[in-house]
Amino acid sequence: MKYMIMTFGDASAWDTLGLGAEEATWSSEEVAEHFRAMSEFYADLASSGEMVTGFGLADPSHTMTVEIRDGRPVASDGPHAEAKEVLAGFGIVDVASHDRAVELAARFAAIVRSRVELRPIMDDTGREM
């Protein structure tokens, strides 16, 4: 079964790594260790055949919100103002069990030093839900 592992953050999450508008708040060693651990995590998943895909997302200042008004797309800059947290990155894994998905989510949470959300992905029929 496929699962999405998601991590969330506010604008300071990108600044932590020096990827936002401000200087990194982690030391260069901490930043390097973070990216080494992420690379190792994804390499392990690729070698086990459990990796589907995964990406970190750009600083939320680059976000656009798109909606339909009167049948036409309308784009505006930024996420909704009331959003305290935004999606920072995600990975999609294909695992043999829910327990394995939880195990991988826990490893991901340790790497990003934050809680993560784990959500099953429906197949074409959605019957597994």
Side-chain angles (χ1 to χ4, degrees), residues 39-52 100 107:
S39 293
E40 181 181 319
F41 178 70
Y42 285 130
D44 287 352
L45 291 175
S47 68
S48 71
E50 295 171 307
M51 183 69 195
V52 175
R100 177 63 174 157
R107 185 172 166 198

Side-chain angles (χ1 to χ4, degrees), residues 18-91:
L19 301 173
E22 304 294 324
E23 292 291 319
T25 57
W26 284 0
S27 69
S28 59
E29 293 81 14
E30 287 174 305
V31 171
E33 173 56 22
H34 171 77
F35 285 112
R36 186 208 59 75
M38 289 300 293
S39 293
E40 181 181 319
F41 178 70
Y42 285 130
D44 287 352
L45 291 175
S47 68
S48 71
E50 295 171 307
M51 183 69 195
V52 175
T53 194
F55 293 96
L57 301 177
D59 180 323
S61 67
H62 302 286
T63 301
M64 293 196 77
T65 299
V66 180
E67 61 184 310
I68 300 295
R69 288 190 202 151
D70 298 322
R72 295 177 169 237
V74 176
S76 59
D77 290 338
H80 293 290
E82 66 270 12
K84 293 190 179 7
E85 292 184 316
V86 294
L87 184 62
F90 67 93

Side-chain angles (χ1 to χ4, degrees), residues 70-122:
D70 298 322
R72 295 177 169 237
V74 176
S76 59
D77 290 338
H80 293 290
E82 66 270 12
K84 293 190 179 7
E85 292 184 316
V86 294
L87 184 62
F90 67 93
I92 297 177
V93 296
D94 192 352
V95 293
S97 69
H98 176 75
D99 288 344
R100 177 63 174 157
V102 171
E103 177 186 330
L104 294 175
R107 185 172 166 198
F108 192 74
I111 293 168
V112 298
R113 301 182 190 181
S114 181
R115 69 173 178 81
V116 300
E117 185 174 315
L118 179 65
R119 187 176 300 176
I121 297 174
M122 292 190 294

